[in-house]
Amino acid sequence: MGTKTNIALRHETERLELLVADHPLTFEQFVELFGEDDDVELVNGRAVNKMAAKTPHERLQVWLLTILNAYVVERDLGVVLGSRTLVKIDGFNGRLPDLLFVRKDRMDIVKENGIYGAPDLVLEIRSPGDRPSRWVELEADYRSLGVPEIWFIDPQGKKVRVLRKEGEGYRTEIVKRGFLRSKSVSGFWLRVDWLWQSLRPKETEVLAELLGQPFP
């Protein structure tokens, strides 16, 4: 006999802002209608407005982007892009990750209108006002696309949920202390406590440590 999975469900009241067409939008129609100035995702053929990020979210995003981009450029590993780069999930879905990385040998998936394929690493930062269901939807989309490595960073819970693709599934790790090490970005690591500090180390200091010392 098979085993049952125990999953706890709860009721949530959420606010979702939509731009509704009279038919489901395809990914191609969506990129024609919206551009880099629009903070909008395509979810099941619907244009969904992303909530405006709070200052702590933006400061962490910029800090991570600066360090990761500088490291990738210095090592000549590929490209790092921020939250205005649309990733095609399928014909009726597209997401705007907070950060993504594509390896140098896979640059063919980087097009003018977005990323047409699975980035090698996706990072998402949770904000207090985010809909709980959004994180379930994001994970489902990135899994369906086959993203090799996904970091869900939760500053409020002071933890990082790391998913790494293994065969047909994913292995999940919750990291609350110590170090985060990326398998997709060769040699890249961070101290987890840096993410929660109000005054983080300077980007130049972190980069020097990354380039000058091996992972502890």
Side-chain angles (χ1 to χ4, degrees):
M1 295 179 63
T3 59
K4 292 184 177 180
T5 300
N6 294 320
I7 300 176
L9 301 177
R10 65 182 184 275
H11 289 284
E12 293 281 357
T13 301
E14 301 178 339
R15 180 183 177 187
L16 183 64
E17 294 188 4
L18 306 173
L19 298 171
V20 182
D22 57 4
H23 59 81
L25 295 174
T26 66
F27 187 86
E28 288 70 25
Q29 292 170 332
F30 180 80
V31 296
E32 289 180 4
L33 288 170
F34 300 96
E36 60 187 15
D37 294 330
D38 300 304
D39 206 4
V40 181
E41 295 181 314
L42 181 65
V43 182
N44 296 324
R46 305 170 303 174
V48 179
N49 285 313
K50 291 183 67 176
M51 292 186 63
K54 303 295 185 182
T55 300
H57 177 287
E58 288 298 279
R59 292 183 65 181
L60 177 55
Q61 195 265 352
V62 170
W63 186 82
L64 286 167
L65 174 62
T66 302
I67 294 168
L68 181 57
N69 182 65
Y71 179 85
V72 166
V73 169
E74 184 66 25
R75 295 295 195 205
D76 193 24
L77 298 176
V79 65
V80 175
L81 297 169
S83 60
R84 296 298 188 189
T85 303
L86 188 66
V87 175
K88 181 178 181 179
I89 305 298
D90 57 35
F92 293 94
N93 289 277
R95 292 294 186 178
L96 296 168
D98 287 322
L99 287 174
L100 64 86
F101 163 73
V102 177
R103 292 197 325 259
K104 186 177 180 180
D105 61 340
R106 300 186 63 245
M107 290 294 291
D108 59 303
I109 71 171
V110 181
K111 310 295 185 183
E112 181 179 356
N113 290 330
I115 309 298
Y116 287 72
D120 294 281
L121 172 66
V122 163
L123 285 78
E124 292 280 6
I125 304 168
R126 189 164 195 164
S127 291
D130 283 342
R131 294 181 294 112
S133 65
R134 170 173 164 76
W135 291 84
V136 177
E137 295 166 356
L138 285 174
E139 181 175 334
D141 281 350
Y142 294 144
R143 280 175 176 256
S144 71
L145 188 59
V147 177
E149 185 173 6
I150 312 162
W151 290 10
F152 289 113
I153 300 173
D154 182 0
Q156 290 72 49
K158 294 187 177 181
K159 61 184 178 183
V160 182
R161 189 162 182 260
V162 179
L163 289 83
R164 294 190 177 94
K165 198 171 189 313
E166 292 187 352
E168 296 299 317
Y170 279 82
R171 180 172 61 85
T172 301
E173 179 186 7
I174 304 297
V175 184
K176 295 183 178 181
R177 59 183 63 86
F179 299 90
L180 275 169
R181 185 179 186 180
S182 175
K183 288 190 175 181
S184 296
V185 185
S186 179
F188 184 79
W189 57 269
L190 293 172
R191 299 176 188 271
V192 177
D193 63 305
W194 286 342
L195 302 174
W196 324 135
Q197 294 173 6
S198 56
L199 292 176
R200 298 183 182 93
K202 292 181 179 179
E203 291 90 333
T204 50
E205 294 175 357
V206 174
L207 184 62
E209 188 170 355
L210 286 171
L211 297 174
Q213 298 179 10
F215 181 70

